[in-house]
Amino acid sequence: MSELLKVGLLGYGTIGSGVIKMLTAPEFGLSGRIKLVKVADTDLVSEREVKVDPALLTDDPDAVVNDPDIDVIVELIGGVGAAKKYVEMALDAGKDVVTANKYMIALHGDALHERATRGDARLLFEASVAGGVPIIQVIREQLACDRVLSINAILNGTCNYILTRMEQVPGMDGEQAVDEARRKGFAEADPTLDVSGMDTAQKLCILVRKAFRTPVLPAQIDLQGITGISNVDVQSALEMGYRIKLVAHSHRVNGKLEIWVGPALIPQSGSLAQVNNEFNAVAINSEAHGEQLFIGKGAGMMPTAGAVVGDLFTLLNHERVPSLLSQPRLDLPVVDRNDVRCRYFARFTVKDQPGVIAAVSSELASRGISIASVVQRENTVDPERGVPLVVITHETTVGALAAAVAAIDHREIMLQPAHTIRIMDSL
Amino acid sequence: MSELLKVGLLGYGTIGSGVIKMLTAPEFGLSGRIKLVKVADTDLVSEREVKVDPALLTDDPDAVVNDPDIDVIVELIGGVGAAKKYVEMALDAGKDVVTANKYMIALHGDALHERATRGDARLLFEASVAGGVPIIQVIREQLACDRVLSINAILNGTCNYILTRMEQVPGMDGEQAVDEARRKGFAEADPTLDVSGMDTAQKLCILVRKAFRTPVLPAQIDLQGITGISNVDVQSALEMGYRIKLVAHSHRVNGKLEIWVGPALIPQSGSLAQVNNEFNAVAINSEAHGEQLFIGKGAGMMPTAGAVVGDLFTLLNHERVPSLLSQPRLDLPVVDRNDVRCRYFARFTVKDQPGVIAAVSSELASRGISIASVVQRENTVDPERGVPLVVITHETTVGALAAAVAAIDHREIMLQPAHTIRIMDSL
């Protein structure tokens, strides 16, 4: 527990610039407590919005990690190549590490923690999940004494922005919304990791590891992105009193863990439905504390930098931080994805001809799937492209629905593959 | 930093029962880490929902505080008499203290912290504000590196329940709603501390002390309760797109601190407006992290016990906890209450006769208060009791409005004193 924490920064990009700003700008008053000693980046040429003393800059990360004057390495390189190598070097050398690297923590969190424990170092990663929301800290500190029952979260600001815009602008399709998000700085040039749900799945793995003490890899998660969502889906959901959000879900059920990432219809009156644009939110239900909801900015320079610097403060103030490994693992088995039960929204783009509803409903009925409501509207503009038939089912299993949809997709009445979305009435 | 924390509990009431449950029930798995050594209460006779080993019970708090085997005192007596005496004894003896006592912390937090520092003890009080929301921890850990700009919070579940019910049931007045809250266990037999706003003011003092590092006493806060709110106010607000909530507000403005507690009209689409029934919420805006919102249960046996036990976990895990006193005080001056600016909702219960609107509007105009909208409805049921004239003003100062209202209240057109409520369009 030192009175002045000496920091080496790997990565002088957007988040790195935010960290430099917080550590040096007088309004944060941190200069006497946390000292920036070295900053490494492969690019020392590009102009940055936030300047740093050129004497601190180096293009050699080894020089930062090996500097005996540095207590803590802040890793903002990303990925699991160089980033992981330098984090391992730092932990082996007994240096603490603060990282925003969700991919590395989701894949190698346990191994890195074991390494940290061996090296008598500490590893913190608040910025890896929902930067502006202190959810890792809350699970680590407040909920460590409690029994978590469920997590439902909106963890990707890009997807949430896209879905919000598709709702606000009838007719706007996903690609238009992505273009707009890109122009506004809410989406990467290549948003595949975001819209595929993979970014959300990585973050959910980190939350589940902490909250349910169960290691789960992103590849084990039933994952659906938002690329298949059409404006018809978003507007039909709205008319029925729902909003579509990309939800990260996990909850205990009969001693097992149900876990998935995908778009879901949630009631407009529910609290997660109020989380719009680039905001993130985590709803946690636990035995003692009951329902809690945390909302904040999920990304961006300053919220993420705030999470990184918050972790530095934790290192400054606490000799020991309860780690992933300090409590016994529960290793809850994961519910088979085909056994997960919920109601469904299904859109079938069908030919405008007799017998269509009969065909769809008989395929559903033969798998024991009961229909709660059906809406089919006329397509007066372009009947050749078919009409959307929207069906809401009663509760069924993922497996039964998938079988019914596969059968319906083979029928010649279908003009496009069906698209199904979960309904989460409890959110 | 001990591996087994030995706890003495003062107060075997509702919250104490919850703490005992968490420390002993197997589903929380805490028995190997936190051990309940003694429990003191003046009433050892009444049956409780949660049982405790009779060998641990005593009616002598001194025996608990002086027990050398006990590391931590959990104070759940309440008030500033015996509670404060035993907390001081414990801190002087170097025992850590966890308390849910908002009144004691709001009034004597600084003095107790100095005492803790002298005694090399730690004092934690997460349960004193919004039990189910870890807001003290968030300010202490995550926001310690940031600069807080504003806090807007709903901190009293009783008032929030009452206002929610008055909204849901047109015609239900405050007293009926209090009766219902009492029957459902959401209000005390004497709810004065709650409905007067005093409970909220005490909690706001604690948050302000931590977030703005400025000591403020409850008596210094401009305080308005919810007793004057009529169903007409709640329903008129609803029609205009607002909800009335009892808001605890503070924000930095030109190097000063604006701080008040009172009912406010907040837009129905705003996130605080979604917080209903007995839930609490804290919205914090800070320089780096941006806007954050935390929602959870504010009271009740298990959420509050969860906060107490969470603090015990913090003591178990951390040698040192950043205290109120570890950062320099800012001592921001408080803005004079008469200079606070906002828009207002004003209800005038007037005689149904010519010239009434002219009289009210001229008194407002002569103090520079501009009217944004006026609604007066016919009272066909009982014209003798007058008609409610609801005025929405443009932004004005509290002082100007108070002067205008005093003048209007003296006019013979008035059948009841006017009632004014702030409008917070930004929430």
Side-chain angles (χ1 to χ4, degrees), chain B residues 264-403:
Chain B
L265 274 71
I266 60 181
Q268 278 167 31
S269 58
S271 45
L272 275 186
Q274 318 304 325
V275 180
N276 289 321
N277 295 314
E278 75 276 24
F279 278 84
N280 281 15
V282 183
I284 293 200
N285 193 10
S286 62
E287 191 89 27
H289 289 84
E291 291 169 41
Q292 292 185 75
L293 176 65
F294 304 93
I295 303 174
K297 290 188 177 159
M301 177 168 92
M302 294 315 289
T304 312
V308 168
V309 179
D311 276 350
L312 293 175
F313 240 73
T314 296
L315 293 176
L316 191 65
N317 284 311
H318 299 301
E319 180 79 19
R320 186 169 75 168
V321 180
S323 85
L324 275 172
L325 303 173
S326 65
Q327 288 188 289
R329 265 164 56 169
L330 293 175
D331 287 331
L332 299 172
V334 172
V335 177
D336 187 290
R337 56 173 288 174
N338 287 318
D339 296 338
V340 171
R341 299 186 66 82
C342 67
R343 301 208 305 144
Y344 268 92
F345 166 106
R347 169 177 43 90
F348 304 97
T349 307
V350 293
K351 292 179 185 167
D352 192 4
Q353 65 182 43
V356 160
I357 293 183
V360 167
S361 55
S362 68
E363 292 288 5
L364 292 169
S366 72
R367 275 103 188 158
I369 301 170
S370 172
I371 293 176
S373 71
V374 179
V375 177
Q376 182 183 327
R377 291 230 164 66
E378 279 190 278
N379 181 348
T380 51
V381 182
D382 185 2
E384 289 302 303
R385 299 184 63 186
V387 289
L389 171 68
V390 171
V391 172
I392 303 288
T393 75
H394 285 296
E395 200 176 87
T396 177
T397 63
V398 175
L401 186 83

Side-chain angles (χ1 to χ4, degrees), chain A residues 312-326:
Chain A
L312 292 176
F313 240 73
T314 297
L315 293 176
L316 191 65
N317 284 311
H318 300 300
E319 180 80 22
R320 187 169 76 168
V321 179
S323 84
L324 274 173
L325 304 173
S326 65

Side-chain angles (χ1 to χ4, degrees), chain B residues 60-97:
Chain B
D60 177 14
D62 288 274
V64 179
V65 176
N66 294 324
D67 186 333
D69 195 37
I70 286 175
D71 307 312
V72 188
I73 298 296
V74 172
E75 183 278 303
L76 300 173
I77 301 169
V80 291
K84 182 159 166 274
K85 183 182 101 179
Y86 291 116
V87 166
E88 288 173 347
M89 277 172 60
L91 295 173
D92 289 347
K95 283 183 165 50
D96 299 325
V97 171

Side-chain angles (χ1 to χ4, degrees), chain A residues 398-418:
Chain A
V398 174
L401 187 82
V405 164
I408 294 168
D409 278 347
H410 274 96
R411 295 270 192 137
E412 57 81 39
I413 54 168
M414 293 291 285
L415 293 171
Q416 283 178 30

Side-chain angles (χ1 to χ4, degrees), chain A residues 134 293-296, chain B residues 126 129-136 138-139 142-143 148 150-156 200 203-204 206-208 211-212 246-250 271-272 275 279-285 290-298 427:
Chain A
L293 176 65
F294 305 93
I295 303 174
Chain B
E126 185 67 68
V129 183
V133 183
I135 191 63
I136 303 286
V138 164
I139 297 175
Q142 180 209 28
L143 294 175
V148 177
S150 69
I151 295 177
N152 286 285
I154 295 172
L155 297 174
N156 187 280
T200 299
K203 292 168 179 168
L204 182 59
I206 298 174
L207 293 184
V208 162
F212 297 103
L246 182 65
V247 172
H249 171 87
S250 66
S271 45
L272 275 186
V275 180
F279 278 84
N280 281 15
V282 183
I284 293 200
N285 193 10
E291 291 169 41
Q292 292 185 75
L293 176 65
F294 304 93
I295 303 174
K297 290 188 177 159
L427 294 190

Side-chain angles (χ1 to χ4, degrees), chain B residues 163-172 229-242 244 268 345 377:
Chain B
L163 292 170
T164 301
R165 292 299 292 158
M166 288 171 75
E167 196 180 290
Q168 290 168 341
V169 185
M172 178 185 268
I229 307 275
S230 73
N231 196 278
V232 170
D233 299 329
V234 174
Q235 298 299 328
S236 302
L238 257 191
E239 278 170 32
M240 295 184 290
Y242 291 97
I244 299 180
Q268 278 167 31
F345 166 106
R377 291 230 164 66

Side-chain angles (χ1 to χ4, degrees), chain A residues 218-233:
Chain A
Q220 292 173 270
I221 294 182
D222 181 5
L223 173 65
Q224 193 184 355
I226 63 164
T227 40
I229 307 275
S230 73
N231 196 278
V232 170
D233 299 329

